């Protein structure tokens, strides 16, 4: 009987141990299951957050694409406006050049005609003194208009070197003739001018030289107008056609022109002692 009781006690103890081990394993299994559920829930939340972030990124990409298209349209519109402005500027510049070229040639022609008329009246012994004074006054007015027109035209149009040289040549010859005219009128008024005097030959020679300078000036002005753009404008247009490495929808090209050194022409005296 004791052996059976011992065996029964042992079996009962083993059963209790087995139940305890099974319970402990069940508890471990439940803990692992809870951890697995927590991990899966965390993974689901991360997946949902990733999907939300992906949707936001896609929306941001669509917005960026739309803004880029709008910006590109603005750039193209700005380019078209800039090209229109450049064409208008070229047209206005060409028109201004024509106006100043006409003014320069006409004032130079008027100065040439009035100086010739003054010489003719001065050498004509049958002309009354008041006619000589009127011709002298008209000549001075033409000289003043020539100086003002020449200075403004050179400052506003920026002519090339050849045209500047012709303007300087015409002004230089006129200054020499201006000085000889003063001496000639003074000699006529004082009666000291003899027939065949050397001063008369010098004045007539300067008249012809002034006429030649006027023809060269008019020819150079016509040749400069045959070119659609000035050298400065040609350089600016060539630079504007080159591909730019940087583009800005708000940037503006330089509208100003490079300052060109202008020749300084001394203005002849507008007063002369007439005795």
């Amino acid at each position: 009987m004791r052996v059976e009781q011992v065996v029964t006690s042992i079996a009962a103890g083993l059963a209790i141990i087995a139940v305890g081990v099974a319970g402990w394993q069940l508890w471990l299994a439940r803990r692992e299951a809870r951890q697995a559920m927590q991990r899966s829930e965390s993974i689901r939340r991360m997946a949902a957050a990733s999907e939300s972030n992906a949707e936001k990124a896609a929306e941001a990409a669509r917005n960026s694409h739309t803004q880029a298209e709008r910006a590109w349209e603005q750039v193209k519109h700005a380019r078209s406006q800039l090209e229109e402005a450049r064409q208008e500027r070229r047209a206005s510049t060409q028109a201004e050049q024509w106006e100043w070229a006409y003014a320069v040639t006409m004032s130079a022609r008027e100065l040439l005609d009035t100086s010739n008329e003054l010489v003719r009246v001065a050498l004509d012994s049958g002309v009354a003194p008041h006619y000589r004074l009127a011709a002298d006054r008209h000549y001075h007015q033409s000289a003043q208009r020539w100086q003002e027109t020449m200075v403004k035209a050179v400052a506003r149009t920026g002519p090339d070197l050849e045209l500047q040289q012709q303007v300087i040549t015409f002004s230089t010859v006129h200054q020499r003739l201006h000085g000889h005219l003063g001496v000639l009128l003074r000699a006529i008024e004082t009666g000291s001018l003899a027939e065949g005097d050397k001063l008369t030959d010098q004045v007539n020679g300067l008249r012809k030289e002034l006429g030649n300078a006027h023809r060269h000036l008019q020819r150079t002005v016509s040749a400069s107008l045959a070119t659609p753009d000035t050298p400065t404008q040609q350089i600016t247009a060539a630079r504007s056609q080159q591909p730019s490495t940087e583009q800005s929808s708000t940037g503006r090209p330089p509208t100003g022109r490079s300052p060109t050194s202008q020749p300084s022409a001394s203005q002849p005296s507008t007063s002369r002692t007439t005795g």
Side-chain angles (χ1 to χ4, degrees):
M1 293 299 293
R2 292 181 178 178
V3 174
E4 293 176 358
Q5 292 178 351
V6 171
V7 172
T8 302
S9 300
I10 293 173
L14 292 174
I16 293 172
I17 293 173
V19 170
V21 171
W24 181 69
Q25 290 179 350
L26 179 61
W27 179 81
L28 290 177
R30 286 182 177 179
R31 189 181 66 175
E32 290 178 357
R34 285 195 301 269
Q35 292 177 353
M37 290 179 64
Q38 291 176 358
R39 286 195 295 269
S40 62
E41 184 66 24
S42 177
I43 290 173
R44 281 195 299 270
R45 288 196 299 268
M46 292 175 62
S50 299
E51 291 179 359
S52 177
N53 292 333
E55 291 179 357
K56 292 180 180 179
E59 184 67 21
R62 287 191 295 268
N63 293 336
S64 299
H65 183 70
T66 303
Q67 292 177 358
E69 289 181 350
R70 292 178 181 176
W72 178 244
E73 291 296 330
Q74 292 178 356
V75 168
K76 291 192 294 184
H77 184 62
R79 282 183 176 178
S80 63
Q81 289 182 340
L82 178 60
E83 184 61 28
E84 291 177 0
R86 285 176 176 172
Q87 292 177 0
E88 292 178 358
R89 180 177 178 82
R90 284 194 292 267
S92 62
T93 301
Q94 186 67 18
E96 186 179 11
Q97 286 181 343
W98 277 93
E99 292 175 358
W100 283 112
Y102 178 79
V104 166
T105 52
M106 290 302 296
S107 61
R109 183 64 192 179
E110 182 185 8
L111 179 59
L112 177 64
D113 293 341
T114 54
S115 60
N116 289 334
E117 179 66 16
L118 179 60
V119 172
R120 186 190 67 80
V121 170
L123 295 179
D124 190 354
S125 58
V127 175
H130 65 276
Y131 284 111
R132 190 178 297 114
L133 292 176
D136 184 43
R137 188 181 306 108
H138 189 197
Y139 162 76
H140 277 87
Q141 293 174 354
S142 300
Q144 183 68 24
R145 280 192 294 270
W146 155 252
Q147 288 292 329
E148 294 176 353
T149 304
M150 180 265 296
V151 172
K152 291 179 180 179
V154 171
R156 296 186 181 183
T157 60
D160 53 15
L161 293 178
E162 184 178 2
L163 183 54
Q164 292 182 21
Q165 184 62 37
Q166 294 300 328
V167 171
I168 293 175
T169 301
F170 184 84
S171 299
T172 302
V173 176
H174 168 251
Q175 289 173 10
R176 291 164 54 196
L177 177 61
H178 182 82
H180 283 74
L181 285 175
V183 177
L184 177 65
L185 290 176
R186 192 175 298 108
I188 292 174
E189 291 171 357
T190 58
S192 59
L193 183 66
E195 186 175 353
D197 191 272
K198 185 178 180 181
L199 178 61
T200 304
D201 296 336
Q202 292 176 348
V203 170
N204 289 327
L206 287 174
R207 286 173 54 193
K208 295 180 180 179
E209 189 176 354
L210 187 64
N212 292 332
H214 176 263
R215 283 192 295 272
H216 289 300
L217 174 63
Q218 192 168 11
R219 190 180 301 114
T220 305
V221 169
S222 300
S224 66
L225 292 178
T227 304
D229 293 332
T230 61
T232 305
Q233 292 176 335
Q234 292 177 356
I235 295 174
T236 305
R239 290 179 177 175
S240 63
Q241 294 175 358
Q242 296 178 354
S244 177
T245 57
E246 296 181 359
Q247 296 179 352
S248 173
S249 59
T250 59
R252 291 185 179 179
T255 59
R257 194 187 306 174
S258 300
T260 306
S261 59
Q262 307 297 343
S264 60
S266 59
Q267 185 173 350
S269 174
T270 58
S271 62
R272 181 184 299 123
T273 305
T274 57

